[in-house]
Amino acid sequence: IHSGIEIKDSSSKLILKRVVFSKMKGLSSVGGDNYGSALNIHTNSIVDIHSVSIMVSSSKYGGALSIRGSSTLNICGLSLFNNHASVSGGAMYIDSSTINMINACVMITNVENNRATSYGGGMYITGTSTLNSNALLNITKNIASLGGGGIAVMGNNHNVNINGNSLSVVGNEASKSVDQGESIYENGGGIFVQGVNGDSTWNDVVLSNNIGGHGGNMMINMGAKVAITNMLVEKGTAHASGGGLY
């Protein structure tokens, strides 16, 4: 499919099975509203996806998809590859919504090689949001130019719950290229958490081999409060301070 889908309102439910989206654009210049390219989910909507791929797509917020406004996305097998957000959420932008990896699903969800010009190369999460990873979720090899190569949780007063179970954030990077191919490293190569009076909980997460300035694997900033349970943090690289956590 080469044209995106918008779903909204509490009476709306969409089920997608074995669908590939490629070269989508969600920018306002081509008729979108700047949120999501393949899927723009909002206003109390429910979407179920099974074996869906979104690749080489772009938007301002959520290069592949966005979910907002108390909506729910249930996933059994999703591949988000080589997408780009010109602001935040290279693959996925989540605002005050819920993502569920279906418990009985045996398919892997991969968020790989996506890029954000600002924050959250893989995912950008804000508002009151929940990510329930009951099936294997890999967030790997994503890049954000300003912070949170894998995941960025941001916004004042955010309330975000990450129930990882099988969530791996591996090999992501917070950096931007400058002259002659050199890189400037930013904060939170794997995870970047920021926001005054923000609260987030992180349960059962693997953080490994991420690269950043401060906080190679994870950085917590600007008064954000973080509660961590069962997190493996290893082999992070910081070009300033805190290879594991800053």
Side-chain angles (χ1 to χ4, degrees), residues 228-240:
I228 297 173
T229 304
N230 295 333
M231 178 181 282
L232 174 63
V233 181
E234 64 175 7
K235 300 178 182 178
T237 300
H239 286 262

Side-chain angles (χ1 to χ4, degrees), residues 15-32:
I15 299 174
L16 294 174
K17 294 184 177 181
R18 295 181 294 279
V19 178
V20 176
F21 297 88
S22 180
K23 299 180 181 179
M24 316 295 297
K25 291 188 181 296
L27 304 175
S28 58
S29 60
V30 292

Side-chain angles (χ1 to χ4, degrees), residues 25 46-47 78 81 90 101 112 124 129 156 158 162 166 170 184 218 221-222 233-234 236:
K25 291 188 181 296
I46 299 173
V47 175
L78 173 64
F81 180 78
M101 304 294 162
E112 183 177 356
Y124 181 96
S129 296
N156 295 342
H158 66 252
I162 307 295
S166 297
V170 177
I184 296 175
M218 184 174 188
N221 196 33
M222 288 182 60
V233 181
E234 64 175 7

Side-chain angles (χ1 to χ4, degrees), residues 88 118-126 144-155 158 160 162 169 172-174 186-196 200 202 207 210-226 231 244-246:
S88 296
S118 293
Y119 295 95
M123 293 182 179
Y124 181 96
I125 308 174
T126 191
S145 296
L146 297 184
I151 302 173
V153 172
M154 299 183 69
H158 66 252
V160 173
I162 307 295
V169 182
N172 302 282
E173 188 171 310
E186 300 294 342
N187 299 323
I191 295 171
F192 182 71
V193 183
Q194 175 174 286
V196 177
S200 62
W202 301 78
L207 274 175
N210 300 290
I211 303 172
H214 293 293
N217 273 322
M218 184 174 188
M219 180 174 180
I220 304 164
N221 196 33
M222 288 182 60
K225 299 176 183 177
V226 173
M231 178 181 282
L245 176 63
Y246 184 87

